[in-house]
Structure formats: structure tokens, C-alpha cells
Amino acid sequence: YSHCYMSCFKRVPESLKMQTVQESPLNLSLTLGELLKKDTIKVELIPEKKGLFLKHVEYQVTTKRFAVSVYRRYNDFDVFHELLLQRYAYRVVPALPPKRALKGGKREFIEGRRRALDRFLNLVARHPVFSEDELVKTFLTFSGSDVQTKLRDACKKLGDEFMTCKYATHAKDYLPADIQSQFSSSRELIKNIHSSLQKLRDRAERMAERSKENATDLLMFGKELSSLGSDESPVPILASCKSPWAALRRSVKGLSVEFSLLSEKAAEQGRREEDDVVEKLNLFLDLLQSYRDLCERHEKGVLHEHQRALQKYGVMKRQMLSATVQPKEQVSVEQLESRIVQQENAIQAMELRNYFSLFCLHQESQLIFTYLPITSHILGAFVNSQVQGHKEMGEVWQDLHSKLKSLFGDGNGQSPPLSPK
């Protein structure tokens, strides 16, 4: 069986050999726009269901491509992710968020996990290979009672990508001669991009947080003005003859309306920064991290197993040499020969897997570079968010300025100086 299995690897169809460079399956021809159009997934939290002893979080997963909604629990995502990794060990499979909170409050953790699951599914559903897979379609569309069993059955039927991809056994024919140096330079560049975008995301998060804090402060500022203006304490006669405070404090109370509106605008600004900037950065960072994980899998998995197999083969060859120099029982020599043939087949299979792994890595590197223009989308969203936020808040501040002039201006409508000249 192993001999037949290996011999089929050696036969490369002539039609595949004759393909031009432009037609090579190694090259991805998709644009960012085409990737983003593949699907849009929404993962929404639905109210907790309480059983007799436990309550659990459930998600509504809606796919635009298949126009259907299904319900999933975290454990369903976990099984799906595990099977996706089994089937596509040589591809960028994004990580799942943790099952339980490591720090912070429960509500913040649940919302953060929902966002991460949303990003995970969108990256998977837009991947040029995953998007056409039965496993992915099952997760997004199956509405039966036991999705995990359905997923496992689909995975058993399909096997891993090496066994089903028509290019797997002759991937070497498509690889450029300098594939290793290309891989090294791509890996280093993507590592640097990942590092810079993490810092940008951290700053964007802080800005969104400050916008929310600003919203709270503006609201409290307005409440304090309202409290000040609502003070009904009588003004002493001594002060009342010199100060218009009794009349002014009623005006001060009315200013809380503008500050409440400013608070709403600042909160909207924080939400925009979080949704349009931080989340988009997180999506791309998830993809970059999964690429770095893939590089580690390639080195620790296929390459490491290949090296171990070669070492084992070397030991067997030495044993065989020793057996021929020092005659032993014929049976043990034949057994050793059989094991050497098996090991040679195993090494050949591993070599093919190693080339296929490099083939996939080359494609996944192209996928990362196809996604790179998303940085301009993110910067555009960031600038638009600031323009909109400052414009809206500027209009309210201007209204407030006009109101102050009419309330506190002197006889000529001029506001009194706030500091001595």
C-alpha cells in the first residue's frame, strides 16, 4: 500500500507542468475588496439561558452570504476551531479568545469575547480556502441540535488539506528557488508590522477610553451646574445689593442641557473610535498573530518531524550495515530492510508535506499583503471619526458660547473678562 501511495506522488500531470507562471496555483489574485465581499458575519449576544444549575452564554451567528442565522455556544466555537486546525494545519487559523475571564469584570469580558469571536468568524469566512470548505459552511448554516457531531463527521469525511488538495503532492514544482529566503524576509517584515500595529491599537484604545471618560466628566460638570443653580438658599441682604446671583443661578441651571449634549457627543466619539478604529486594528492583528503562529507550526511541526525521521533513518542504515558485516539471522535482516523501506516512504511523505507547507505559507504570506491596505481604511476611519466628533462637539460649544454671552454679558452684550488684565 505504501509503495503505491508513494508512487502516485511521483506522477505529476502534464497539464499541471505546462501551466504558466501567471496561472500558477501558488499565486493569489484576490484584492482586499474581493476578500471583504466574500461574507460579513455578525456575532450577537442573546440573553443568558438559565438551567437548573448552570447558566450559559449563547450567540446568534448571522452570515450575509448564506442569509441565515444559527445559535452557537462557546464550546461549539472551540470544537470548530480545533477541527479547522486539524484540517488546515498549514494555513492561518485565527486563535479563539479565552473561555474564562483572566482579569476584569464579567460584563466587559463577555463583550470582549463576543467581539473576538466576531473577528474570528469574519477572518475564516473571508479566507480564500476556508470560505469554500464544507466544515465552515456547516458551522455557519447547520441549525440542528448537535452541531459538534455534524462538524466532526464532516472533518472525518474530508481529512486534512494535504490529502484533498490536488496540488499537494507536487507543490515543489510551483515553489520559487529562493522560497526559504522569501519566507524569512516576509516573516521578518510581518513581525515588524505586527509590532507597530499593536502600539497603534494600544494608543487608539486609550483615546477611545479618554473619550468615554470625557463624556462622564462633561455629564458630571453639567450636573454640578444644575445642582448649583437649583440651590434655593436665600441670598443675604448684604450680598444681594451688590450681586445679581439670585437671578444668575437660575440661568446656570439651564446650562446643564448643553453639557448633557456634549457628554452624548463625546460618548458617541468613544464608540466610533472603538468600533471603527480599535476593532479594525484588532481584526488585522488577529490575522497577523495567526500568521506568526503558522510560522511556528511550520518550524516545530513538519520540519522537526522530518529531521527526527531522518535521524531514525540514519540509525537504521547503520544497524543494517552492522548486520551485513556481522552475519545475523536472516529474519532480522529482512525485518530491518522492511523497516528501512517503510522509513524511506515516511521520509518521502514528510518531504512532500514540507513542500506543501511551504506552498501554503507562500500563499498565506500573499494573503497578509493583500490585507495590508486595510491600514488605509483604518486611518481613514480614524480621521473621519475625529472630524465628525470635533465638528459635532464644536457646534454644541458654539451654542453654549452664544448662550453664555446672552446670559452673562454686560449691557453691551460683551462677556466680562474671566481674568484681570
Side-chain angles (χ1 to χ4, degrees), residues 20 57 61 73 82 86 113 150 165 169 171 176 220 229 247 264 271 291 334 373 378 386:
T20 62
V57 176
V61 175
R73 293 176 59 181
E82 178 193 329
Q86 283 177 28
R113 190 173 68 176
K150 188 80 173 173
C165 178
T169 56
M220 294 312 296
E264 285 176 21
R271 281 192 294 272
Y291 178 83
E334 287 175 358
I378 295 165
Q386 298 303 315

Side-chain angles (χ1 to χ4, degrees), residues 1-12 169 345 348 352:
Y1 167 79
S2 61
H3 175 70
C4 295
Y5 179 64
M6 296 313 302
S7 64
C8 76
F9 283 170
K10 297 172 185 174
R11 294 196 297 272
V12 181
T169 56
N345 287 342
Q348 196 174 352
L352 290 167

Side-chain angles (χ1 to χ4, degrees), residues 123-162:
L123 286 172
V124 168
R126 291 166 181 169
H127 190 283
V129 177
F130 303 162
S131 59
E132 305 307 317
D133 195 272
E134 189 64 30
L135 196 64
V136 175
K137 184 181 178 182
T138 299
F139 186 83
L140 294 177
T141 62
F142 181 71
S143 57
S145 58
D146 193 357
V147 68
Q148 293 180 23
T149 302
K150 188 80 173 173
L151 288 169
R152 287 194 174 97
D153 289 345
C155 197
K156 278 179 194 172
K157 184 176 69 176
L158 295 165
D160 85 323
E161 188 187 9
F162 181 77

Side-chain angles (χ1 to χ4, degrees), residues 250-317:
R250 287 191 294 274
S251 301
V252 167
K253 182 180 179 182
L255 296 178
S256 64
V257 174
E258 277 74 21
F259 279 96
S260 178
L261 190 55
L262 282 167
S263 173
E264 285 176 21
K265 297 298 180 188
E268 284 172 17
Q269 171 79 357
R271 281 192 294 272
R272 274 197 304 270
E273 288 166 348
E274 198 169 61
D275 295 340
D276 298 344
V277 183
V278 176
E279 261 317 281
K280 286 186 173 68
L281 279 166
N282 277 331
L283 177 88
F284 195 30
L285 283 168
D286 287 352
L287 182 67
L288 292 171
Q289 183 58 54
S290 63
Y291 178 83
R292 295 182 69 180
D293 293 344
L294 172 63
C295 293
E296 284 189 27
R297 280 204 305 277
H298 171 72
E299 291 188 335
K300 291 180 181 175
V302 181
L303 281 181
H304 183 63
E305 284 177 20
H306 190 204
Q307 286 161 359
R308 280 177 57 194
L310 286 171
Q311 286 169 359
K312 188 176 176 184
Y313 180 67
V315 170
M316 285 182 182
K317 290 292 278 185

Side-chain angles (χ1 to χ4, degrees), residues 172-184:
K172 183 182 178 181
D173 299 341
Y174 300 104
L175 296 175
D178 61 342
I179 182 65
Q180 291 292 356
S181 62
Q182 281 193 33
F183 167 52
S184 297

